[in-house]
Amino acid sequence: MAGSREEAPDYGRGVVIMDDWPGYDLNLFTYPQHYYGDLDYVLIPHGIVVDRIERLAKDIMKDIGYCDIMVLCVLKGGYKFCADLVEHLKNISRNSDRFVSMKVDFIRLKSYRNDQSMGEMQIIGGDDLSALAGKNVLIVEDVVGTGRTMKALLGSIEKYKPNMIKVASLLVKRTPRSDGFRPDYAGFEIPNLFVVGYALDYNEYFRDLNHICVINEHGKEKYRV
């Protein structure tokens, strides 16, 4: 069973960013000029994100690198995380004494409008999930918030009886609305903030921002739908 309600392993919480963390001043970094005035601060610089993903790849290969892996990428926010993670996994495989075959498939979920969760998960794309039967599945997600979206996806996949399911999420939000779900692999645990960048969007904007940043009220209003 993917995730856990029990105490996570040492790396289970990932890099923990506390609620009082002030972040980094935007003037210390470069970012697209068309987002000037739309952000509060940099929460996680791009370089730290990349380094953390490399470590996650090592943890994943240590745990499940003995078997072939079907990677299920949750679009759209997870595509950069997935691409970087899979590249690191392949590099580790190429330099080990056992080759691990990795196939990547995609699914798209919709659970946010503006900065609010809509409560219900919509599956917009993806191939027939029955193809996951008997496979060792690694779900790659951008953010776990309440956990309800991921649990709904897991419920859909588990009907087809995969051999194993693991979940890797770049971010886990501390939110009072959480149902306690924890991914098997977490990059960063962050405060309950709406963040953008590194393919994380606000109504399809900010995907071209490399750093993970906190959007301000001006930015939310500017790109509201």
Side-chain angles (χ1 to χ4, degrees):
M1 177 66 182
S4 174
R5 292 177 179 272
E6 299 175 358
E7 186 175 347
D10 290 342
Y11 55 80
R13 293 183 68 187
V15 177
V16 178
I17 299 175
M18 303 307 293
D19 290 346
D20 58 356
W21 169 241
Y24 298 93
D25 192 302
L26 289 160
N27 292 322
L28 297 172
F29 301 90
T30 58
Y31 63 101
Q33 188 171 349
H34 48 270
Y35 296 137
Y36 285 11
D38 301 331
L39 303 166
D40 268 342
Y41 55 88
V42 175
L43 185 68
I44 313 172
H46 178 253
I48 296 177
V49 174
V50 173
D51 282 0
R52 177 65 185 139
I53 292 172
E54 182 176 6
R55 178 53 199 252
L56 283 179
K58 291 180 180 179
D59 291 336
I60 291 168
M61 289 297 282
K62 180 180 177 181
D63 289 348
I64 62 175
Y66 56 86
C67 59
D68 295 340
I69 302 171
M70 169 63 82
V71 178
L72 185 63
C73 175
V74 180
L75 296 174
K76 295 180 181 177
Y79 80 86
K80 280 181 74 85
F81 175 39
C82 184
D84 287 346
L85 181 64
V86 168
E87 186 61 30
H88 284 304
L89 291 171
K90 287 181 176 179
N91 286 338
I92 295 170
S93 175
R94 280 193 289 264
N95 292 294
S96 70
D97 56 2
R98 185 189 184 280
F99 174 73
V100 176
S101 173
M102 272 170 282
K103 296 181 179 179
V104 182
D105 201 355
F106 302 91
I107 192 167
R108 186 179 174 196
L109 311 176
K110 186 73 171 178
S111 61
Y112 277 88
R113 182 180 298 275
N114 295 319
D115 61 343
Q116 299 298 316
S117 173
M118 296 187 295
E120 296 183 1
M121 180 189 72
Q122 298 174 287
I123 301 178
I124 297 176
D127 293 335
D128 185 359
L129 294 179
S130 64
L132 301 177
K135 299 292 198 314
N136 302 302
V137 180
L138 176 65
I139 301 173
V140 179
E141 170 69 295
D142 55 355
V143 183
V144 169
T146 65
R148 287 193 288 270
T149 299
M150 182 54 63
K151 287 184 72 174
L153 176 58
L154 288 170
S156 297
I157 294 174
E158 286 167 353
K159 294 175 185 177
Y160 300 101
K161 302 187 183 307
N163 182 55
M164 175 182 67
I165 311 176
K166 298 288 187 180
V167 177
S169 182
L170 179 62
L171 305 176
V172 176
K173 286 187 182 180
R174 287 190 302 276
T175 168
R177 299 172 58 211
S178 172
D179 65 2
F181 175 82
R182 282 269 170 185
D184 300 281
Y185 308 98
F188 302 86
E189 181 182 290
I190 66 171
N192 189 25
L193 301 166
F194 197 90
V195 293
V196 294
Y198 195 73
L200 297 154
D201 77 302
Y202 177 80
N203 295 328
E204 300 300 327
Y205 292 93
F206 300 99
R207 294 196 193 276
D208 55 336
L209 176 65
N210 281 334
H211 312 295
I212 295 178
C213 300
V214 177
I215 186 173
N216 63 24
E217 292 304 318
H218 176 269
K220 290 180 182 179
E221 187 59 36
K222 181 178 178 180
Y223 298 111
R224 189 178 300 275
V225 296

